[in-house]
Amino acid sequence: DQQVKQNSPSLSVQEGRISILNCDYTNSMFDYFLWYKKYPAEGPTFLISISSIKDKNEDGRFTVFLNKSAKHLSLHIVPSQPGDSAVYFCACAGNMLTFGGGTRLMVKP
Amino acid sequence: DTGVSQDPRHKITKRGQNVTFRCDPISEHNRLYWYRQTLGQGPEFLTYFQNEAQLEKSRLLSDRFSAERPKGSFSTLEIQRTEQGDSAMYLCASTRGTQVNTGELFFGEGSRLTVL
């Protein structure tokens, strides 16, 4: 059973526009939520996180939103840049991180 | 380079052979995690250590998989009698204490296994 799902395997966005990546989870015991970014031939790198007691966290161009009642989180990137092209994983934290399947973001110049 | 180091980066083996991967975490990181990633999927948790103690191993995929961290520093992941379905990227990550919640989980570049 997949506890964390990213239903969009890919997303294409024009440079300068907003990218919105979505993630759904099923386990209400998760207490921290994170987004990781992965380039080819590299391990995932941490991008931004949010505690379950908050509904929004912002860091520069990146904002994560959490809707606990819907068990849904999203990552907004504004404005999108070609260098943002990568695979993005959401992850939910207990004793370990449980990852979604990833969304490949392509930002076109 | 003071990041998480994994060796080898790529291993090609024949079905039925044993393979071992090594992970050197960031120094002073007492928690070490192993994940597996297959094509088009997210990292899948396998096991983790707090110092030398293996705190969770029920997610190891079968009894052919085993991991050790004998001195609380580097770790090894061994797969015995490899099968073609074991072909994947094996990722190691480390962190200090319980900071997995803050995102301070640092991943290595992974060891890619190809079983022929």
Side-chain angles (χ1 to χ4, degrees):
Chain A
D1 64 331
Q2 283 187 286
Q3 294 190 66
V4 183
K5 286 186 180 179
Q6 294 176 253
N7 289 320
S8 297
S10 64
L11 175 68
S12 183
V13 172
Q14 203 67 36
E15 180 179 7
R17 306 297 287 268
I18 184 171
S19 296
I20 300 176
L21 295 91
N22 294 301
C23 177
D24 296 292
Y25 63 95
T26 58
N27 189 341
S28 58
M29 299 301 290
F30 291 134
D31 58 1
Y32 227 88
F33 304 90
L34 307 95
W35 285 93
Y36 277 74
K37 180 177 179 180
K38 185 180 185 302
Y39 292 116
E42 295 183 8
T45 56
F46 170 71
L47 191 58
I48 191 169
S49 65
I50 187 168
S51 164
S52 60
I53 63 174
K54 295 185 176 181
D55 55 17
K56 177 183 176 181
N57 187 29
E58 190 172 352
D59 183 3
R61 296 185 298 113
F62 302 91
T63 303
V64 56
F65 295 91
L66 175 63
N67 183 334
K68 282 190 66 179
S69 61
K71 295 190 178 66
H72 178 83
L73 64 152
S74 61
L75 174 68
H76 292 206
I77 306 174
V78 181
S80 302
Q81 300 174 353
D84 296 329
S85 298
V87 178
Y88 289 78
F89 294 101
C90 65
C92 303
N95 280 329
M96 74 291 289
L97 294 183
T98 302
F99 286 84
T103 296
R104 181 177 299 278
L105 173 66
M106 293 163 285
V107 181
K108 298 179 179 178
Chain B
D1 186 352
T2 57
V4 178
S5 177
Q6 292 189 244
D7 183 70
R9 294 290 310 279
H10 194 182
K11 176 72 175 179
I12 301 172
T13 191
K14 292 182 179 179
R15 187 178 56 182
Q17 298 295 305
N18 298 345
V19 296
T20 299
F21 300 113
R22 176 181 169 123
C23 172
D24 287 272
I26 294 171
S27 60
E28 299 176 358
H29 277 190
N30 54 355
R31 281 205 175 185
L32 185 149
Y33 295 78
W34 284 99
Y35 282 82
R36 184 180 82 152
Q37 186 176 16
T38 53
L39 194 63
Q41 302 297 316
E44 176 186 12
F45 171 76
L46 295 178
T47 187
Y48 83 102
F49 295 85
Q50 173 93 9
N51 299 312
E52 66 273 13
Q54 191 172 13
L55 298 185
E56 173 63 64
K57 57 181 180 180
S58 65
R59 306 278 192 93
L60 285 168
L61 300 165
S62 78
D63 58 7
R64 298 184 296 104
F65 287 71
S66 63
E68 293 183 341
R69 194 183 184 197
K71 298 181 180 178
S73 56
F74 75 91
S75 175
T76 57
L77 176 70
E78 182 181 17
I79 309 173
Q80 296 182 325
R81 305 181 303 281
T82 53
E83 301 173 356
Q84 288 184 326
D86 297 334
S87 297
M89 176 74 81
Y90 291 86
L91 294 164
C92 176
S94 70
T95 189
R96 185 181 295 121
T98 58
Q99 287 175 331
V100 62
N101 285 357
T102 66
E104 292 184 15
L105 189 61
F106 294 87
F107 281 86
E109 293 180 325
S111 292
R112 180 169 296 283
L113 174 64
T114 302
V115 182
L116 302 176

